[in-house]
Short mmCIF file of all heavy atoms in Angstrom, two decimals:
data_model
loop_
_atom_site.label_atom_id
_atom_site.label_comp_id
_atom_site.label_asym_id
_atom_site.label_seq_id
_atom_site.Cartn_x
_atom_site.Cartn_y
_atom_site.Cartn_z
N GLU A 28 -14.36 -40.24 25.94
CA GLU A 28 -15.32 -40.50 27.03
C GLU A 28 -14.61 -40.84 28.35
O GLU A 28 -14.98 -40.31 29.41
CB GLU A 28 -16.25 -41.65 26.70
CG GLU A 28 -17.24 -41.35 25.58
CD GLU A 28 -18.01 -42.62 25.18
OE1 GLU A 28 -17.39 -43.61 24.77
OE2 GLU A 28 -19.27 -42.55 25.23
N ILE A 29 -13.57 -41.66 28.24
CA ILE A 29 -12.78 -42.02 29.46
C ILE A 29 -12.16 -40.81 30.03
O ILE A 29 -12.13 -40.64 31.25
CB ILE A 29 -11.81 -43.18 29.11
CG1 ILE A 29 -12.59 -44.43 28.72
CG2 ILE A 29 -10.86 -43.43 30.30
CD1 ILE A 29 -11.67 -45.51 28.14
N ALA A 30 -11.54 -39.97 29.18
CA ALA A 30 -10.91 -38.77 29.70
C ALA A 30 -11.91 -37.87 30.44
O ALA A 30 -11.57 -37.37 31.53
CB ALA A 30 -10.29 -37.99 28.52
N ALA A 31 -13.11 -37.75 29.92
CA ALA A 31 -14.11 -36.94 30.59
C ALA A 31 -14.53 -37.53 31.91
O ALA A 31 -14.66 -36.83 32.93
CB ALA A 31 -15.33 -36.78 29.68
N ILE A 32 -14.77 -38.86 31.94
CA ILE A 32 -15.14 -39.56 33.18
C ILE A 32 -14.06 -39.41 34.26
O ILE A 32 -14.39 -39.17 35.46
CB ILE A 32 -15.38 -41.07 32.91
CG1 ILE A 32 -16.64 -41.25 32.06
CG2 ILE A 32 -15.53 -41.85 34.21
CD1 ILE A 32 -16.79 -42.59 31.49
N LEU A 33 -12.79 -39.50 33.88
CA LEU A 33 -11.69 -39.53 34.86
C LEU A 33 -11.17 -38.13 35.16
O LEU A 33 -10.20 -37.98 35.93
CB LEU A 33 -10.58 -40.40 34.42
CG LEU A 33 -10.97 -41.89 34.24
CD1 LEU A 33 -9.80 -42.69 33.71
CD2 LEU A 33 -11.40 -42.43 35.57
N GLY A 34 -11.75 -37.07 34.56
CA GLY A 34 -11.36 -35.74 34.88
C GLY A 34 -10.08 -35.22 34.25
O GLY A 34 -9.49 -34.26 34.69
N PHE A 35 -9.68 -35.86 33.13
CA PHE A 35 -8.54 -35.33 32.39
C PHE A 35 -8.96 -34.12 31.61
O PHE A 35 -10.10 -34.03 31.19
CB PHE A 35 -7.96 -36.39 31.49
CG PHE A 35 -7.14 -37.43 32.21
CD1 PHE A 35 -7.74 -38.59 32.67
CD2 PHE A 35 -5.78 -37.27 32.44
CE1 PHE A 35 -7.01 -39.56 33.36
CE2 PHE A 35 -5.04 -38.25 33.16
CZ PHE A 35 -5.66 -39.34 33.58
N ASP A 36 -8.01 -33.20 31.38
CA ASP A 36 -8.35 -31.96 30.66
C ASP A 36 -8.82 -32.23 29.24
O ASP A 36 -9.62 -31.46 28.72
CB ASP A 36 -7.12 -31.02 30.63
CG ASP A 36 -6.75 -30.52 31.97
OD1 ASP A 36 -7.59 -30.46 32.87
OD2 ASP A 36 -5.54 -30.17 32.16
N SER A 37 -8.26 -33.28 28.63
CA SER A 37 -8.59 -33.57 27.22
C SER A 37 -8.21 -35.06 26.90
O SER A 37 -7.44 -35.62 27.70
CB SER A 37 -7.83 -32.65 26.29
OG SER A 37 -6.40 -32.98 26.35
N PRO A 38 -8.69 -35.58 25.86
CA PRO A 38 -8.29 -36.91 25.42
C PRO A 38 -6.74 -36.97 25.16
O PRO A 38 -6.09 -37.96 25.46
CB PRO A 38 -9.06 -37.21 24.15
CG PRO A 38 -10.21 -36.23 24.16
CD PRO A 38 -9.75 -35.09 24.98
N TYR A 39 -6.24 -35.88 24.63
CA TYR A 39 -4.79 -35.81 24.40
C TYR A 39 -4.02 -35.93 25.69
O TYR A 39 -3.02 -36.65 25.81
CB TYR A 39 -4.43 -34.51 23.69
CG TYR A 39 -2.93 -34.33 23.50
CD1 TYR A 39 -2.25 -35.05 22.53
CD2 TYR A 39 -2.21 -33.54 24.38
CE1 TYR A 39 -0.83 -34.93 22.44
CE2 TYR A 39 -0.83 -33.42 24.28
CZ TYR A 39 -0.17 -34.11 23.30
OH TYR A 39 1.20 -34.04 23.18
N HIS A 40 -4.47 -35.22 26.73
CA HIS A 40 -3.82 -35.23 28.03
C HIS A 40 -3.84 -36.66 28.59
O HIS A 40 -2.83 -37.17 29.06
CB HIS A 40 -4.48 -34.26 28.98
CG HIS A 40 -3.83 -34.17 30.32
ND1 HIS A 40 -4.57 -34.24 31.48
CD2 HIS A 40 -2.52 -34.04 30.70
CE1 HIS A 40 -3.69 -34.12 32.49
NE2 HIS A 40 -2.47 -34.02 32.06
N LEU A 41 -4.99 -37.32 28.53
CA LEU A 41 -5.06 -38.69 28.96
C LEU A 41 -4.12 -39.60 28.17
O LEU A 41 -3.36 -40.42 28.68
CB LEU A 41 -6.49 -39.26 28.85
CG LEU A 41 -6.65 -40.75 29.00
CD1 LEU A 41 -6.15 -41.27 30.37
CD2 LEU A 41 -8.09 -41.21 28.80
N SER A 42 -4.12 -39.45 26.85
CA SER A 42 -3.25 -40.26 25.98
C SER A 42 -1.80 -40.11 26.27
O SER A 42 -1.06 -41.08 26.35
CB SER A 42 -3.54 -39.93 24.47
OG SER A 42 -4.83 -40.31 24.10
N ALA A 43 -1.41 -38.88 26.48
CA ALA A 43 0.04 -38.61 26.76
C ALA A 43 0.43 -39.21 28.11
O ALA A 43 1.49 -39.82 28.24
CB ALA A 43 0.30 -37.06 26.78
N GLN A 44 -0.40 -39.01 29.13
CA GLN A 44 -0.13 -39.59 30.44
C GLN A 44 -0.15 -41.12 30.39
O GLN A 44 0.72 -41.78 30.97
CB GLN A 44 -1.16 -39.09 31.43
CG GLN A 44 -1.07 -37.62 31.72
CD GLN A 44 -0.51 -37.28 33.04
OE1 GLN A 44 -0.54 -38.08 33.99
NE2 GLN A 44 0.04 -36.11 33.19
N PHE A 45 -1.13 -41.66 29.66
CA PHE A 45 -1.27 -43.11 29.56
C PHE A 45 -0.07 -43.71 28.89
O PHE A 45 0.46 -44.77 29.29
CB PHE A 45 -2.56 -43.44 28.79
CG PHE A 45 -2.93 -44.88 28.88
CD1 PHE A 45 -3.80 -45.34 29.89
CD2 PHE A 45 -2.45 -45.79 27.95
CE1 PHE A 45 -4.12 -46.69 29.96
CE2 PHE A 45 -2.77 -47.17 28.04
CZ PHE A 45 -3.65 -47.58 29.04
N LYS A 46 0.40 -43.06 27.81
CA LYS A 46 1.58 -43.61 27.10
C LYS A 46 2.80 -43.57 27.99
O LYS A 46 3.60 -44.55 27.99
CB LYS A 46 1.83 -42.81 25.82
CG LYS A 46 2.91 -43.45 24.95
CD LYS A 46 2.96 -42.82 23.59
CE LYS A 46 4.03 -43.55 22.77
NZ LYS A 46 4.11 -43.03 21.44
N GLY A 47 2.97 -42.52 28.75
CA GLY A 47 4.08 -42.50 29.72
C GLY A 47 4.00 -43.56 30.78
O GLY A 47 5.03 -44.07 31.24
N TYR A 48 2.79 -43.93 31.18
CA TYR A 48 2.55 -44.91 32.21
C TYR A 48 2.70 -46.33 31.71
O TYR A 48 3.35 -47.18 32.33
CB TYR A 48 1.16 -44.67 32.78
CG TYR A 48 0.71 -45.66 33.80
CD1 TYR A 48 1.27 -45.67 35.12
CD2 TYR A 48 -0.30 -46.62 33.54
CE1 TYR A 48 0.81 -46.58 36.08
CE2 TYR A 48 -0.73 -47.45 34.49
CZ TYR A 48 -0.22 -47.50 35.73
OH TYR A 48 -0.59 -48.41 36.70
N SER A 49 2.14 -46.64 30.51
CA SER A 49 2.05 -48.00 30.02
C SER A 49 2.97 -48.28 28.86
O SER A 49 3.23 -49.44 28.52
CB SER A 49 0.62 -48.33 29.58
OG SER A 49 0.31 -47.63 28.38
N GLY A 50 3.52 -47.20 28.22
CA GLY A 50 4.38 -47.39 27.06
C GLY A 50 3.63 -47.45 25.78
O GLY A 50 4.24 -47.46 24.71
N LEU A 51 2.29 -47.43 25.82
CA LEU A 51 1.50 -47.47 24.62
C LEU A 51 0.36 -46.44 24.72
O LEU A 51 -0.13 -46.13 25.78
CB LEU A 51 0.83 -48.83 24.44
CG LEU A 51 1.73 -50.04 24.19
CD1 LEU A 51 0.89 -51.34 24.26
CD2 LEU A 51 2.43 -49.95 22.85
N ALA A 52 -0.05 -45.97 23.54
CA ALA A 52 -1.23 -45.05 23.53
C ALA A 52 -2.46 -45.92 23.89
O ALA A 52 -2.44 -47.13 23.71
CB ALA A 52 -1.41 -44.51 22.08
N PRO A 53 -3.49 -45.28 24.47
CA PRO A 53 -4.64 -46.04 24.91
C PRO A 53 -5.26 -46.98 23.91
O PRO A 53 -5.53 -48.16 24.21
CB PRO A 53 -5.62 -45.01 25.34
CG PRO A 53 -4.81 -43.76 25.68
CD PRO A 53 -3.62 -43.89 24.76
N ASP A 54 -5.43 -46.51 22.68
CA ASP A 54 -6.05 -47.39 21.63
C ASP A 54 -5.18 -48.58 21.33
O ASP A 54 -5.70 -49.67 21.14
CB ASP A 54 -6.37 -46.60 20.39
CG ASP A 54 -7.55 -45.58 20.57
OD1 ASP A 54 -8.45 -45.94 21.41
OD2 ASP A 54 -7.57 -44.56 19.90
N ARG A 55 -3.87 -48.35 21.22
CA ARG A 55 -2.96 -49.48 20.98
C ARG A 55 -2.97 -50.46 22.12
O ARG A 55 -2.87 -51.65 21.97
CB ARG A 55 -1.53 -48.95 20.69
CG ARG A 55 -1.43 -48.26 19.31
CD ARG A 55 0.02 -48.05 18.95
NE ARG A 55 0.58 -49.40 18.68
CZ ARG A 55 1.91 -49.60 18.66
NH1 ARG A 55 2.74 -48.62 18.88
NH2 ARG A 55 2.38 -50.76 18.39
N TRP A 56 -2.98 -49.90 23.36
CA TRP A 56 -3.00 -50.75 24.56
C TRP A 56 -4.24 -51.67 24.56
O TRP A 56 -4.14 -52.85 24.78
CB TRP A 56 -2.97 -49.90 25.81
CG TRP A 56 -2.85 -50.65 27.06
CD1 TRP A 56 -1.63 -51.01 27.68
CD2 TRP A 56 -3.89 -51.16 27.92
NE1 TRP A 56 -1.97 -51.71 28.87
CE2 TRP A 56 -3.24 -51.84 29.01
CE3 TRP A 56 -5.27 -51.12 27.83
CZ2 TRP A 56 -4.00 -52.45 29.98
CZ3 TRP A 56 -5.99 -51.76 28.81
CH2 TRP A 56 -5.38 -52.40 29.90
N ARG A 57 -5.39 -51.07 24.20
CA ARG A 57 -6.65 -51.79 24.16
C ARG A 57 -6.57 -52.87 23.06
O ARG A 57 -6.97 -54.05 23.31
CB ARG A 57 -7.81 -50.87 23.85
CG ARG A 57 -9.14 -51.58 23.69
CD ARG A 57 -10.26 -50.62 23.38
NE ARG A 57 -10.90 -50.12 24.54
CZ ARG A 57 -11.66 -49.07 24.61
NH1 ARG A 57 -11.88 -48.29 23.55
NH2 ARG A 57 -12.27 -48.70 25.75
N ARG A 58 -6.13 -52.52 21.88
CA ARG A 58 -5.99 -53.53 20.80
C ARG A 58 -5.08 -54.67 21.18
O ARG A 58 -5.40 -55.87 20.97
CB ARG A 58 -5.50 -52.87 19.48
CG ARG A 58 -6.59 -52.07 18.78
CD ARG A 58 -6.18 -51.69 17.38
NE ARG A 58 -4.97 -50.91 17.25
CZ ARG A 58 -4.87 -49.58 17.39
NH1 ARG A 58 -5.97 -48.89 17.58
NH2 ARG A 58 -3.73 -48.97 17.28
N ARG A 59 -3.96 -54.35 21.75
CA ARG A 59 -3.03 -55.37 22.18
C ARG A 59 -3.63 -56.30 23.26
O ARG A 59 -3.48 -57.51 23.21
CB ARG A 59 -1.70 -54.78 22.70
CG ARG A 59 -0.67 -55.85 23.03
CD ARG A 59 0.63 -55.25 23.34
NE ARG A 59 1.27 -54.79 22.12
CZ ARG A 59 2.48 -54.21 22.07
NH1 ARG A 59 3.14 -53.94 23.18
NH2 ARG A 59 2.98 -53.84 20.94
N LEU A 60 -4.35 -55.71 24.20
CA LEU A 60 -4.97 -56.50 25.22
C LEU A 60 -6.01 -57.47 24.61
O LEU A 60 -6.06 -58.65 24.98
CB LEU A 60 -5.67 -55.61 26.26
CG LEU A 60 -6.51 -56.27 27.32
CD1 LEU A 60 -5.55 -57.02 28.26
CD2 LEU A 60 -7.34 -55.29 28.10
#
């Protein structure tokens, strides 16, 4: 849903970019937070 809202091509694209940015996959980042 977040990928669609933010205009990413796919959830995978968001996840890959997010991991490069934060060091964690989105779901892991959320759980850790």
Side-chain angles (χ1 to χ4, degrees):
E28 290 173 303
I29 294 169
I32 290 167
L33 296 178
F35 284 91
D36 294 335
S37 68
Y39 174 77
H40 183 227
L41 168 59
S42 293
Q44 294 253 335
F45 191 91
K46 187 170 184 177
Y48 176 71
S49 71
L51 295 171
D54 288 331
R55 287 194 70 199
W56 187 89
R57 177 184 266 163
R58 284 193 302 272
R59 185 173 284 179
L60 175 69

